[in-house]
Amino acid sequence: MRHISDKNHTINKRLHKLYPPEIADRAVDSIIDLIFKYKSRIKSTPYQLSEKDVILITYGDQVNKDYEPSLQTLKGFIDKHLKGIVNSVHILPFYPYSSDDGFSVVNYGAVDPKMGSWREIEQISGEYRLMVDGVINHISQFSDWFRAYLSGDPYFQDFFIEVDPSIDLSKVVRPRALPLLSEFVDDEGRTRHVWTTFSKDQVDLNYKSHRVLRNVLDALFYYVEKGATLIRLDAIAFIWKEIGTECVHLEQTHELIQLMREVLHEVAPEVIIITETNVPHHENVSYFGSGDDEAQMVYNFALPPLLVHSILTGNTKTLTEWGKTLTLPSDKVCFFNFTASHDGIGLRPIKGILTEEEVQSLGNTVKSHGGLVSYKTDPDGNQSPYELNCSYIDALTHPDERDDVRYKRMILAQGTVLAMPGVPGIYFHSLVGSRNYKDGVKHTGINRTINREKYNIDWLEKELSIHGSLPKKMLASYKRLIAIRINEPAFNPFGKFEFLELGNQLFAVDQHCVNNRDRIIAIHNFSDEEVDCQLPENISLPLRDLVVSSTVVDLLSTSITLKPYQMMWLKGKL
């Protein structure tokens, strides 16, 4: 096996692709030092994703209790309600931050003291698989790194990207309706125009500096040392900048992700890289790379808006057509499926899938449900819808509709995600059916706050104890569906799958477990009508519905009927 110092080692070759020879050689030395540093500190344990993997997405301070670190309160909630059901927890940025609910990181190596300490993080990672955020495209303007840059510290002078504002940057893809360059005054009184893709408080890092790469890798290794086994690379599509290009999805970006994965795997090959690229679907899936060299999981960003569209229209034609296009470059990668997250429901991923009229209608409907729409600036200077800001349950139902309809539509959407090929991610608010947090938006002035409410744990537990309440019904039904999923090998994220055309009101996926010849045909009725359908003739009988009840019901006919918003997970043999 070649040593990294060998010019033919892939890490060495990747560094020489990214940097001039002399700088690349220095980068090689620094990465060898990092690997040596952490090999003695990290105990590597092999792991293979399976149907058992379900990831809870939550803020570290999602639930709070007086005089208790919120991370401790969170673990108590998970232990009480989800132990044995959910095996993984994605804690959104828990580092000290200055804005954007954690995504403007002040210090990569610390835990926000309001949430707790590394002790609480390690207690969670000791019992659950831990997913953390690598917020490595940018860092807070209040970080030590940026302060050192403004103070003139020579070590940090190439950590950030300073650009003459007269230079034409019109080609750069803009994810926000905010200036690309922000003005900062350094300690000598000079004005610096610095690259800020997302906001003035999120200053982009310059990966043309090998020292930036070294320090970021150090932080990622540190997370692995603290128990992280999954690393979400936030906003990673924008990480490399070349003036004169769109500065998104550049060849160097993919090279950088592949390099980071390979370096981490030198110490901990079980670490899973998940790329967060809220972009059109065909661009998003490029981060799988060859299927063996880049992200092991990619967010399935087109799924959340397509589910809302399909349920609101009662028509699954587009959803099924899109599903039939889903392919993977190998059996070593899979999709990360979800409905809601800490962000809004992205619209860019459905570009070319839904028409502009359908996207406009979707936005208008969500606004009529009490939600909001956020916009971005296009290269021509015009603004276009970027995402829908709304709790997922409110996106699916008008405030005047009955709670039983609200519940049925929401659990249908969540059940569909659990039955999709890949690994499911469940946002805390979806778990308990949270509604729009309008007061929060009034307080912060930020649209995304509508889906980021934090709870007093005593209040939430009381809501979950009320018989017939929406939160109690949602949590109980969600847990029951997850319990079914994690015990069925046919739901293995690396199994084979096929989307079936059973009519424009139904969405159906047939998943296979080749090892034991198990199959599950998951059928979901997206309409408010009873629907009859005929399964393909080549489906072997009998089929057993895992969802409908606790009693054993064998279907001896391929003709079935689904009630409004009903789902059936039919288990059989290939």
Side-chain angles (χ1 to χ4, degrees):
M1 183 178 291
R2 291 189 176 98
H3 189 266
I4 295 170
S5 59
D6 188 318
K7 295 290 185 184
N8 290 315
H9 192 288
T10 49
I11 289 177
N12 196 309
K13 289 198 286 188
R14 292 191 196 286
L15 289 167
H16 277 84
K17 277 187 183 179
L18 292 169
Y19 303 110
E22 185 180 337
I23 295 176
D25 289 340
R26 273 184 259 157
V28 168
D29 290 341
S30 67
I31 284 176
I32 291 171
D33 288 345
L34 265 183
I35 291 170
F36 181 78
K37 170 184 174 181
Y38 282 100
K39 270 211 168 177
S40 61
R41 293 163 56 170
I42 292 173
K43 181 182 178 182
S44 178
T45 305
Y47 189 85
Q48 177 71 24
L49 289 170
S50 74
E51 65 278 2
K52 304 289 185 187
D53 288 283
V54 178
I55 302 175
L56 176 69
I57 306 166
T58 178
Y59 281 102
D61 59 350
Q62 183 60 63
V63 286
N64 295 279
K65 184 176 184 179
D66 289 343
Y67 311 113
E68 184 173 274
S70 57
L71 284 164
Q72 182 180 331
T73 310
L74 174 65
K75 183 176 183 297
F77 179 91
I78 299 170
D79 288 346
K80 178 178 178 180
H81 295 286
L82 301 173
K83 193 84 168 178
I85 300 290
V86 167
N87 72 336
S88 307
V89 183
H90 172 200
I91 307 176
L92 291 158
F94 48 78
Y95 327 111
Y97 68 95
S98 52
S99 65
D100 198 18
D101 285 335
F103 285 90
S104 296
V105 180
V106 171
N107 184 348
Y108 287 130
V111 175
D112 186 338
K114 296 191 293 295
M115 298 186 200
S117 66
W118 285 113
R119 177 175 176 271
E120 282 73 34
I121 293 294
E122 289 179 298
Q123 285 175 340
I124 293 172
S125 69
E127 297 186 42
Y128 302 88
R129 301 191 71 233
L130 176 64
M131 177 168 159
V132 303
D133 284 275
V135 190
I136 58 174
N137 175 74
H138 48 261
I139 196 167
S140 169
Q141 64 175 315
F142 300 104
S143 65
D144 286 346
W145 293 7
F146 193 64
R147 287 172 179 262
Y149 164 79
L150 291 179
S151 72
D153 186 327
Y155 182 82
F156 291 94
Q157 287 314 291
D158 63 351
F159 267 47
F160 304 95
I161 305 163
E162 190 172 353
V163 181
D164 183 336
S166 66
I167 291 176
D168 182 10
L169 299 174
S170 59
K171 283 188 177 181
V172 177
V173 171
R174 302 295 296 115
R176 299 283 185 276
L178 293 168
L180 178 61
L181 302 180
S182 297
E183 292 186 4
F184 296 93
V185 178
D186 67 18
D187 287 9
E188 294 183 1
R190 292 177 300 172
T191 298
R192 304 276 194 104
H193 296 90
V194 183
W195 200 295
T196 53
T197 298
F198 293 95
S199 76
K200 184 173 182 177
D201 191 35
Q202 294 167 303
V203 189
D204 287 61
L205 290 164
N206 177 26
Y207 282 85
K208 291 181 179 180
S209 164
H210 77 281
R211 289 191 294 270
V212 167
L213 175 62
R214 191 260 179 215
N215 280 274
V216 165
L217 283 169
D218 196 359
L220 297 181
F221 268 127
Y222 189 59
Y223 301 155
V224 176
E225 182 185 354
K226 295 299 183 183
T229 55
L230 306 100
I231 296 177
R232 173 188 183 270
L233 298 181
D234 176 66
I236 199 68
F238 301 92
I239 200 166
W240 194 278
K241 284 79 175 176
E242 290 288 343
I243 293 174
T245 73
E246 292 183 339
C247 296
V248 64
H249 312 313
L250 296 183
E251 180 184 347
Q252 296 94 327
T253 295
H254 289 283
E255 195 70 46
L256 200 56
I257 297 168
Q258 292 167 13
L259 172 68
M260 289 178 175
R261 167 179 162 158
E262 195 166 354
V263 171
L264 290 171
H265 282 191
E266 284 287 317
V267 176
E270 71 278 8
V271 168
I272 290 172
I273 300 295
I274 305 175
T275 50
E276 186 268 334
T277 53
N278 197 348
V279 295
H281 182 74
H282 69 280
E283 299 172 11
N284 185 33
V285 295
S286 70
Y287 288 86
F288 281 129
S290 69
D292 195 29
D293 62 353
E294 204 161 334
Q296 292 106 307
M297 281 202 282
V298 163
Y299 274 77
N300 206 351
F301 273 113
L303 182 59
L306 284 176
L307 283 177
V308 176
H309 167 78
S310 302
I311 291 174
L312 290 176
T313 60
N315 189 311
T316 61
K317 184 174 187 295
T318 302
L319 181 64
T320 298
E321 288 175 349
W322 167 77
K324 290 172 80 70
T325 70
L326 294 180
T327 57
L328 297 167
S330 77
D331 60 1
K332 299 176 182 177
V333 299
C334 64
F335 287 106
F336 182 54
N337 300 309
F338 68 109
T339 55
S341 73
H342 63 288
D343 289 338
I345 301 167
L347 296 175
R348 288 195 71 210
I350 52 173
K351 184 178 181 181
I353 301 174
L354 294 183
T355 66
E356 289 187 13
E357 291 75 19
E358 287 172 325
V359 173
Q360 187 68 42
S361 174
L362 190 57
N364 290 338
T365 301
V366 165
K367 283 194 282 189
S368 75
H369 291 183
L372 304 162
V373 178
S374 294
Y375 295 85
K376 70 179 184 69
T377 302
D378 296 326
D380 60 8
N382 292 325
Q383 291 194 344
S384 59
Y386 173 76
E387 69 178 16
L388 308 175
N389 300 110
C390 192
S391 77
Y392 207 80
I393 196 168
D394 281 328
L396 296 173
T397 43
H398 190 277
D400 294 340
E401 290 183 277
R402 302 188 315 273
D403 260 4
D404 66 317
V405 174
R406 200 178 318 281
Y407 160 77
K408 286 178 182 177
R409 288 182 179 174
M410 183 64 172
I411 205 66
L412 172 72
Q414 308 312 307
T416 303
V417 167
L418 290 175
M420 284 289 288
V423 172
I426 302 169
Y427 189 41
F428 190 100
H429 287 290
S430 296
L431 194 68
V432 297
S434 300
R435 307 293 301 278
N436 283 333
Y437 182 36
K438 295 180 180 178
D439 288 344
V441 177
K442 289 178 184 176
H443 177 70
T444 65
I446 298 169
N447 286 359
R448 284 180 169 177
T449 307
I450 202 166
N451 199 30
R452 297 179 176 181
E453 185 173 7
K454 311 296 172 61
Y455 292 129
N456 173 277
I457 189 65
D458 294 331
W459 177 88
L460 181 59
E461 291 289 4
K462 183 178 178 182
E463 288 292 305
L464 292 171
S465 69
I466 299 173
H467 179 72
S469 71
L470 185 60
K472 184 179 179 67
K473 285 176 65 179
M474 277 301 308
L475 182 59
S477 297
Y478 224 143
K479 288 170 65 175
R480 181 169 174 268
L481 289 175
I482 297 170
I484 296 170
R485 177 195 161 84
I486 63 176
N487 286 297
E488 295 298 334
F491 284 129
N492 187 289
F494 303 115
K496 294 185 177 181
F497 59 88
E498 179 186 0
F499 291 89
L500 307 178
E501 295 184 42
L502 300 180
N504 290 345
Q505 294 169 300
L506 303 179
F507 181 65
V509 58
D510 180 7
Q511 296 209 60
H512 314 157
C513 180
V514 178
N515 291 345
N516 63 7
R517 298 185 60 77
D518 274 357
R519 84 171 341 144
I520 290 180
I521 304 169
I523 308 174
H524 306 81
N525 181 3
F526 277 51
S527 76
D528 58 1
E529 302 173 348
E530 191 172 274
V531 178
D532 297 322
C533 82
Q534 189 75 33
L535 294 175
E537 292 182 358
N538 62 351
I539 301 293
S540 299
L541 297 173
L543 295 169
R544 179 168 298 165
D545 186 2
L546 303 175
V547 176
V548 68
S549 69
S550 58
T551 58
V552 174
V553 179
D554 285 337
L555 300 182
L556 301 176
S557 169
T558 55
S559 178
I560 60 174
T561 301
L562 288 92
K563 297 175 183 177
Y565 304 123
Q566 183 183 354
M567 70 184 84
M568 298 177 79
W569 291 353
L570 304 176
K571 182 177 180 179
K573 291 291 183 180
L574 291 172

